[in-house]
Amino acid sequence: MDDALEIIKPVPDSHFRLVPCENCGGDNVAFVKYLHPTKGERWRVVCFDCGETVDTGCAVCRHQAQLAWNERS
């Protein structure tokens, strides 16, 4: 993850809790802050077990990335 500026794995009972990966069921899931080439700093969520990623390209805060990850169907 060479474009990562920061990687944050939230504690399970925090308000930034991430649900397990719906692809592999793993809980090695974290927020990744990165620099978008034209839009500045953005957030995505990545499962480090299988590589599943949710990146809307417009999440300027962790909470937006959290909602996108936790509310997938």
Side-chain angles (χ1 to χ4, degrees):
M1 195 128 310
D2 24 350
D3 66 345
L5 300 175
E6 186 175 2
I7 298 173
I8 300 173
K9 183 165 182 178
V11 292
D13 58 351
S14 78
H15 66 278
F16 281 112
R17 184 179 85 77
L18 295 168
V19 298
C21 178
E22 72 177 24
N23 185 52
C24 73
D27 63 356
N28 190 14
V29 179
F31 294 100
V32 177
K33 183 182 193 179
Y34 68 98
L35 187 61
H36 188 281
T38 59
K39 298 178 183 175
E41 292 180 352
R42 295 291 186 259
W43 289 90
R44 65 179 163 235
V45 176
V46 176
C47 174
F48 286 94
D49 289 336
C50 73
E52 180 79 10
T53 302
V54 170
D55 183 1
T56 65
C58 60
V60 295
C61 65
R62 279 191 295 165
H63 180 68
Q64 291 172 317
Q66 176 190 30
L67 290 175
W69 177 267
N70 288 348
E71 296 178 354
R72 297 173 294 155
S73 46

